[in-house]
């Protein structure tokens, strides 16, 4: 399936996403003023969102990445979270903000938060581009949420289906 063949309407344009990134970046700047902040992006989907958010945070910060997944090549979460790439920065005594593309079941983020807390940061919060609360099975919520979405299989702006469609400059969805 070529990118141009995607069915479904555009849910959020690139302009919508940039505007929301600016709003959240300003809020994060206020909330973390005077603190040591580390942004940890979840690979691969959160990369475009993280780039937009960090441009709007007016603080000294560090960045790192983690790769964890519960999907594989399917459209439904397997429920089993695997960490494939760990962070490299020391987070003890610092503020951690996980940058995520979408909170779906919440299993991956709950596992990541629990894992990071073992490393003794001051706090671990979540900034997500998209939140899909209708699918939540784990007790986790976003602290900074771009947009709430219905129970659709979302693609674009970093989100993929079997590694395709990440490069769409907007958020759309795959139809059955």
């Amino acid at each position: 399936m070529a990118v141009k063949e995607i069915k479904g309407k555009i849910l959020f344009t690139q302009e919508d996403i940039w505007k929301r990134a600016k709003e959240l970046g300003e809020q994060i700047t206020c909330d973390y003023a005077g603190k040591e902040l580390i942004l940890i992006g979840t690979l691969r989907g959160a990369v475009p969102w993280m780039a937009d958010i960090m441009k709007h945070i007016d603080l000294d910060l560090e960045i790192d990445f983690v790769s964890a997944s519960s999907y594989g090549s399917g459209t439904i979460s397997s429920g089993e979270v695997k960490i494939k790439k760990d962070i490299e920065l020391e987070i003890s005594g610092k503020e951690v903000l996980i940058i995520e593309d979408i909170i779906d079941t919440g299993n991956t983020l709950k596992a990541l938060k629990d894992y990071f807390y073992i490393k003794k940061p001051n706090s671990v919060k979540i900034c997500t581009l998209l939140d899909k609360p209708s699918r939540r099975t784990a007790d986790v919520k976003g602290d900074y949420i771009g947009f709430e979405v219905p129970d659709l299989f979302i693609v674009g702006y970093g989100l993929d289906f079997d590694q395709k469609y990440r490069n769409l400059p907007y958020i759309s969805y795959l139809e059955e």
Side-chain angles (χ1 to χ4, degrees), residues 43-62:
L43 293 173
R44 301 175 183 127
V47 170
W49 176 238
M50 184 169 171
D52 287 350
I53 284 288
M54 60 191 271
K55 289 173 194 170
H56 296 290
I57 299 175
D58 190 17
L59 301 169
D60 288 332
L61 54 81
E62 295 181 84

Side-chain angles (χ1 to χ4, degrees), residues 40 66 68 81 83 85-87 91 98 108-121 124:
I40 300 178
V66 65
V81 176
I83 294 179
K85 183 225 174 281
D86 203 348
I87 59 172
I91 64 173
I98 301 171
T108 301
L109 282 171
K110 172 137 182 27
L112 283 176
K113 279 186 84 167
D114 292 348
Y115 177 69
F116 290 151
Y117 268 122
I118 293 169
K119 298 174 183 277
K120 309 253 188 264
V124 178

Side-chain angles (χ1 to χ4, degrees), residues 1 6-9 153 173-176:
M1 181 185 306
I6 289 181
K7 304 295 184 216
K9 66 176 189 156
F153 195 86
Y173 62 93
L174 293 180
E175 292 183 320
E176 302 268 340

Side-chain angles (χ1 to χ4, degrees), residues 24-102:
L24 291 177
E26 290 170 355
Q27 183 180 350
I28 292 164
T29 298
C30 291
D31 293 351
Y32 288 96
K35 299 177 181 175
E36 291 187 68
L37 178 61
I38 297 177
L39 303 183
I40 300 178
T42 58
L43 293 173
R44 301 175 183 127
V47 170
W49 176 238
M50 184 169 171
D52 287 350
I53 284 288
M54 60 191 271
K55 289 173 194 170
H56 296 290
I57 299 175
D58 190 17
L59 301 169
D60 288 332
L61 54 81
E62 295 181 84
I63 67 168
D64 205 340
F65 294 93
V66 65
S67 179
S69 178
S70 63
Y71 279 88
S73 62
T75 62
I76 299 173
S77 173
S78 69
E80 181 183 344
V81 176
K82 296 178 183 174
I83 294 179
K84 299 174 184 175
K85 183 225 174 281
D86 203 348
I87 59 172
E88 297 174 15
L89 292 175
E90 173 61 47
I91 64 173
S92 176
K94 298 180 182 175
E95 311 301 326
V96 170
L97 185 58
I98 301 171
I99 309 295
E100 178 65 296
D101 53 0
I102 188 167

Side-chain angles (χ1 to χ4, degrees), residues 102-170:
I102 188 167
I103 305 175
D104 192 333
T105 63
N107 292 328
T108 301
L109 282 171
K110 172 137 182 27
L112 283 176
K113 279 186 84 167
D114 292 348
Y115 177 69
F116 290 151
Y117 268 122
I118 293 169
K119 298 174 183 277
K120 309 253 188 264
N122 288 339
S123 69
V124 178
K125 293 189 176 179
I126 299 166
C127 174
T128 186
L129 172 57
L130 302 173
D131 185 25
K132 193 189 297 185
S134 63
R135 301 240 321 132
R136 195 84 73 247
T137 58
D139 185 20
V140 67
K141 66 178 189 69
D143 300 282
Y144 304 94
I145 297 170
F147 306 96
E148 188 172 308
V149 292
D151 189 11
L152 299 167
F153 195 86
I154 307 294
V155 294
Y157 219 83
L159 289 96
D160 73 301
F161 170 66
D162 202 17
Q163 300 301 324
K164 295 178 180 76
Y165 315 119
R166 291 188 192 277
N167 59 325
L168 293 175
Y170 53 83

